[in-house]
Amino acid sequence: MKKVKYFYNTQTLKYEKLVVSLRVKVLRILGFLSAAIVTGAIFLSVAYRLVDSPKEKSLRSELEGMKEKYEALQGRMKEMKGTLADLQDRDNEIYRVIFEASPVPDSSRMGKVKRDEEASQLQSFASAEIVASTGVLLKELTNRIKAQEKSYEEIDKMIKNKQQMLASIPAIQPVANKELKHIASGFGYRIDPIYKTMKYHAGLDFAAPSGTPIYSTGDGVVEEASLSDVGYGNHVVVRHGYGYKTLYGHMLRMKVKSGQAVKRGDVLGWVGSTGKSTGPHCHYEVIKNGEKVDPVYYFVTDLTPEQFDKMLKLARSGNQSFD
């Protein structure tokens, strides 16, 4: 049953029934609704700030997981960077030193200009700090790896070239001489066997029985295999490359021809006494960059330190040459 309200009218001095107009009712309803809306908005705002929604909880958990993975990724990249730095040090300090090559500068490995450009572009992305730092480190590692791969390719070429060079440089004696009994005359000024005056002797004389094999002292190509009645007589010149040539004179007979490729240890001919010679021997010369040098320093694979010392003394004795 609806309650009826009364009020005391002071003018009539009577209690009269309270009648509320429609306008007042509408205003009251609107005021209540406004208050409810404002209160609800305040409540939702506070709840939104203090309480995560299920979606927000999921995103927050995913973000934490991504941070952990990012930190682990950063750790692994730093380890890779350290390992790569060790490889770069070995490259510069060991491998390139062995092959007498210039070290690769660090600025070339990093690609600094490209790295700075990359960083400035990354700063405009979302989560700029994380993206930029990760991107810069990855770019640096990529540049370093590419530079290292290129360096190793160069070293591989140097190894192959070095192997070929080591095989080509004269490094053995032209006749079998393990006991060091065949050195007859050394490099430098010696007594000419015919004119009996001091004359420059540009090689080593190896005295040996006629017909003893004469070997190529390194890989190369026969530049000359010619016969003459004076001078070197039957002689062979081998071009080894890398600025080196060798000459073998006074042969009894030659086995090779001009233009023929030879390997270290191949027989070029046999000991004789043709040309200007006083007895069977092999006159041996080493020519480096057009200059005749002392061959005794090129018997590296044939001699022990003690044997080299002995040969040096024999080659330096001031005796008479054979040619």
Side-chain angles (χ1 to χ4, degrees):
M1 182 176 177
K2 186 177 181 182
K3 292 183 180 181
V4 179
K5 293 183 179 180
Y6 293 87
F7 73 99
Y8 183 73
N9 191 334
T10 57
Q11 294 180 353
T12 61
L13 302 176
K14 292 182 180 180
Y15 285 97
E16 296 179 359
K17 186 177 180 181
L18 180 64
V19 179
V20 181
S21 66
L22 178 61
R23 180 173 176 274
V24 173
K25 289 181 179 179
V26 171
L27 290 175
R28 286 178 179 176
I29 293 171
L30 290 175
F32 175 78
L33 291 175
S34 297
I37 291 172
V38 171
T39 303
I42 293 172
F43 177 80
L44 288 174
S45 177
V46 173
Y48 180 78
R49 290 176 179 274
L50 299 179
V51 181
D52 290 338
S53 67
K55 185 176 181 180
E56 287 175 330
K57 289 181 179 180
S58 176
L59 290 174
R60 193 180 298 278
S61 176
E62 185 177 348
L63 180 60
E64 292 296 329
M66 289 177 64
K67 285 182 178 179
E68 291 178 1
K69 291 179 180 179
Y70 167 73
E71 290 174 358
L73 178 62
Q74 286 283 87
R76 289 203 300 271
M77 285 194 293
K78 287 180 180 179
E79 289 178 3
M80 289 173 59
K81 189 175 179 180
T83 302
L84 189 56
D86 291 339
L87 291 174
Q88 291 167 183
D89 288 341
R90 291 177 63 84
D91 183 6
N92 283 339
E93 302 300 329
I94 300 176
Y95 306 136
R96 288 183 170 269
V97 170
I98 291 173
F99 296 106
E100 302 176 356
S102 300
V104 179
D106 194 61
S107 58
S108 175
R109 296 182 188 275
M110 289 178 64
K112 187 177 185 302
V113 175
K114 292 185 178 180
R115 183 193 68 176
D116 292 342
E117 292 176 357
E118 196 80 12
S120 63
Q121 293 174 2
L122 288 169
Q123 289 293 341
S124 62
F125 296 166
S127 304
E129 184 179 351
I130 294 177
V131 173
S133 62
T134 305
V136 167
L137 187 54
L138 284 173
K139 185 66 177 178
E140 182 181 331
L141 286 173
T142 301
N143 286 337
R144 287 182 178 276
I145 289 170
K146 287 181 179 178
Q148 195 60 47
E149 287 176 347
K150 183 179 179 181
S151 178
Y152 281 145
E153 288 175 1
E154 292 174 356
I155 290 173
D156 184 57
K157 291 179 182 178
M158 284 189 282
I159 290 172
K160 293 177 181 177
N161 189 55
K162 200 77 171 182
Q163 290 174 336
Q164 183 178 353
M165 183 178 74
L166 291 174
S168 299
I169 293 176
I172 63 172
Q173 298 179 78
V175 297
N177 189 28
K178 290 184 180 180
E179 302 300 325
L180 305 182
K181 294 180 179 180
H182 296 298
I183 293 291
S185 181
F187 183 88
Y189 283 95
R190 296 290 185 273
I191 300 172
D192 187 273
I194 296 176
Y195 303 106
K196 305 302 179 181
T197 59
M198 295 297 290
K199 187 177 179 182
Y200 190 73
H201 188 242
L204 289 180
D205 288 341
F206 290 83
S210 183
T212 300
I214 297 174
Y215 305 102
S216 176
T217 57
D219 296 358
V221 177
V222 176
E223 186 177 85
E224 183 181 350
S226 63
L227 168 63
S228 63
D229 296 330
V230 295
Y232 295 120
N234 293 334
H235 67 285
V236 171
V237 177
V238 177
R239 183 178 69 253
H240 302 280
Y242 308 96
Y244 286 95
K245 293 182 183 180
T246 50
L247 180 146
Y248 313 78
H250 310 294
M251 291 183 178
L252 173 67
R253 186 162 55 90
M254 297 172 291
K255 185 180 179 182
V256 295
K257 296 180 180 180
S258 180
Q260 180 178 335
V262 293
K263 294 287 186 181
R264 177 180 292 150
D266 286 353
V267 176
L268 302 176
W270 294 268
V271 170
S273 187
T274 57
K276 180 176 173 287
S277 172
T278 57
H281 74 287
C282 171
H283 175 83
Y284 175 64
E285 295 181 2
V286 174
I287 302 104
K288 182 179 180 183
N289 297 322
E291 182 180 352
K292 296 181 179 182
V293 295
D294 194 340
V296 75
Y297 295 106
Y298 289 86
F299 301 139
V300 293
T301 62
D302 258 6
L303 306 175
T304 65
E306 293 77 14
Q307 288 176 321
F308 175 77
D309 185 61
K310 182 179 179 181
M311 173 171 277
L312 203 59
K313 292 176 181 178
L314 290 171
R316 286 180 175 174
S317 61
N319 52 359
Q320 178 177 288
S321 65
F322 269 54
D323 47 40

